[in-house]
Amino acid sequence: MMPTVVSMINWKGGVGKTTLTLQLGIALNKFHNKRVLLIDLDPQCNLSFVALGIESYVDKVYNQGVHSLKSVFDAYFSDTEIDAKMVIQNKVVNSRPGKVYTNVHMVLSHQELVLLDLRLARSRKSGRDHKEETSFEIEKLAILKRVIDQVADDYDYVLLDCPPNVNLVTQNAFYASNYFVVPAIPDFLSTTGISLIRDYMEKFNTDFRNMHQYAEYGELYNDTQFGGIIFNMVDEYGGGPKRTHQETLTSIQSQHPSFVFSEFITDGDGISVAGSVNLPIYAHEYLPRSNSNAKKQAEYFEKLSNEFILKIK
């Protein structure tokens, strides 16, 4: 049984993509008993930092030498196999103080992914002919997929927190994914690029499909589907989004019919307070300063997870 692999992507920063990836991944486990793997592909390491805390991350990766996503790409460059279970961390996502989620696992990012992305772009393997060289280019795109395939039976969902670009690490995420989902906030700047993202992803589908056909590759390429748009940081007034935010939601719904999630995440300090102490929003009883807001946001994430498993499966 293959997991459902989802790339979370938006080229605009500040839309809460990392927060959404973490809290939604936890919600899929907490409310639906799904086994979840989170993969941090962004060299800024925000997902890794929020889940573990910066000090714990630095200790694990730089002092203890714990494997990260960098190890996966290093193995490609050294032409060696890597055991996916060596890279996956299975006791790092906190459920409450002193306790962790046993079925929410993680692959940590590394700041050197920036350099690895450049190295990937420059690397070329020589083949007997152009077809074989195209096969080698496919293998470069499939680095992450090969790792996920090793643990396919262990997870129901794999959520990929992508960097805000379309470089080769991001293309690896897209190549491995069944769906891509765009987190956004209801403002002009965060929504203007959604159509462009969809266009780019459709171009990648076409390019990857053509590469497979031309190289007569041993497996088919399955298109990555657009899973939809999830709105984050929505201000509410009178029981629903405030007028300006509702106008944005309605506008995006008209531009992308049936692709906007009905459920959204409300704005508030619960998520940021939870993140500051490396706890999920669902541990709101341990967040006295923001208990009521955190509890409300946790309820919104539960509703979002209900819609997510219906749409993304």
Side-chain angles (χ1 to χ4, degrees), residues 231-285:
F231 276 99
N232 203 10
M233 304 182 201
V234 177
D235 289 332
E236 290 188 296
Y237 180 79
K242 71 179 186 180
R243 183 177 58 83
T244 54
H245 281 188
Q246 184 58 62
E247 288 171 355
T248 301
L249 295 178
T250 302
S251 172
I252 299 302
Q253 285 166 346
S254 68
Q255 296 172 44
H256 305 275
S258 78
F259 283 111
V260 177
F261 277 67
S262 300
E263 303 296 341
F264 57 83
I265 303 302
T266 186
D267 199 11
D269 67 352
I271 289 173
S272 59
V273 171
S276 70
V277 291
N278 311 115
L279 289 176
I281 197 71
Y282 316 102
H284 44 76
E285 66 270 29

Side-chain angles (χ1 to χ4, degrees), residues 83-100:
D83 183 350
K85 294 188 178 182
M86 290 175 55
V87 181
I88 294 169
Q89 309 303 311
N90 59 14
K91 293 181 180 179
V92 294
V93 179
N94 294 323
S95 59
R96 58 184 191 274
K99 300 291 183 181
V100 296

Side-chain angles (χ1 to χ4, degrees), residues 15-302:
V15 299
K17 172 178 59 65
T18 292
T19 296
L20 194 67
T21 303
L22 176 63
Q23 303 295 346
L24 178 58
I26 294 172
L28 292 171
N29 174 249
K30 180 177 177 65
F31 302 115
H32 302 282
N33 201 31
K34 301 298 184 183
R35 301 164 301 164
V36 177
L37 175 62
L38 306 173
I39 302 182
D40 187 359
L41 290 99
D42 195 329
Q44 295 183 77
C45 304
N46 288 338
L47 180 60
S48 303
F49 290 164
V50 171
L52 277 70
I54 294 176
E55 288 186 9
S56 177
Y57 168 85
V58 169
D59 180 56
K60 284 183 179 295
V61 174
Y62 290 97
N63 297 333
Q64 298 180 35
V66 163
H67 286 287
S68 68
L69 194 61
K70 177 179 179 293
S71 306
V72 172
F73 289 98
D74 283 342
Y76 169 79
F77 289 121
S78 63
D79 203 23
T80 57
E81 293 287 332
I82 189 162
D83 183 350
K85 294 188 178 182
M86 290 175 55
V87 181
I88 294 169
Q89 309 303 311
N90 59 14
K91 293 181 180 179
V92 294
V93 179
N94 294 323
S95 59
R96 58 184 191 274
K99 300 291 183 181
V100 296
Y101 288 104
T102 56
N103 279 310
V104 181
H105 300 168
M106 193 166 179
V107 176
L108 304 175
S109 187
H110 197 289
Q111 290 166 327
E112 288 185 21
L113 281 179
V114 172
L115 302 176
L116 287 171
D117 220 334
L118 294 171
R119 189 177 171 191
L120 269 179
R122 290 195 302 264
S123 70
R124 290 285 187 277
K125 290 185 178 180
S126 297
R128 294 186 304 272
D129 52 31
H130 192 249
K131 280 190 176 183
E132 186 174 51
E133 289 179 351
T134 302
S135 292
F136 290 154
E137 289 301 298
I138 293 172
E139 285 302 312
K140 190 196 296 185
L141 291 166
I143 298 167
L144 184 60
K145 184 179 187 301
R146 298 289 178 251
V147 170
I148 294 172
D149 286 349
Q150 287 185 44
V151 291
D153 293 335
D154 297 343
Y155 299 102
D156 301 302
Y157 282 93
V158 181
L159 303 186
L160 311 177
D161 186 20
C162 298
N165 59 51
V166 288
N167 296 340
L168 276 161
V169 169
T170 308
Q171 290 180 44
N172 259 261
F174 187 69
Y175 185 91
S177 293
N178 304 105
Y179 296 91
F180 69 97
V181 168
V182 180
I185 59 177
D187 72 359
F188 175 74
L189 288 176
S190 97
T191 56
T192 50
I194 293 174
S195 293
L196 187 59
I197 292 172
R198 291 187 67 180
D199 289 345
Y200 257 94
M201 296 310 178
E202 196 50 52
K203 180 180 182 298
F204 283 140
N205 274 330
T206 301
D207 288 348
F208 297 163
R209 199 183 316 119
N210 289 342
M211 289 170 70
H212 273 246
Q213 290 173 353
Y214 172 73
E216 298 178 345
Y217 202 63
E219 58 193 60
L220 292 174
Y221 172 73
N222 295 311
D223 283 13
T224 303
Q225 302 174 57
F226 182 39
I229 303 157
I230 299 175
F231 276 99
N232 203 10
M233 304 182 201
V234 177
D235 289 332
E236 290 188 296
Y237 180 79
K242 71 179 186 180
R243 183 177 58 83
T244 54
H245 281 188
Q246 184 58 62
E247 288 171 355
T248 301
L249 295 178
T250 302
S251 172
I252 299 302
Q253 285 166 346
S254 68
Q255 296 172 44
H256 305 275
S258 78
F259 283 111
V260 177
F261 277 67
S262 300
E263 303 296 341
F264 57 83
I265 303 302
T266 186
D267 199 11
D269 67 352
I271 289 173
S272 59
V273 171
S276 70
V277 291
N278 311 115
L279 289 176
I281 197 71
Y282 316 102
H284 44 76
E285 66 270 29
Y286 299 99
L287 307 170
R289 185 160 64 87
S290 301
N291 189 323
S292 60
N293 189 264
K295 184 178 180 182
K296 179 181 179 181
Q297 289 180 310
E299 291 167 355
Y300 276 59
F301 267 107
E302 180 177 4

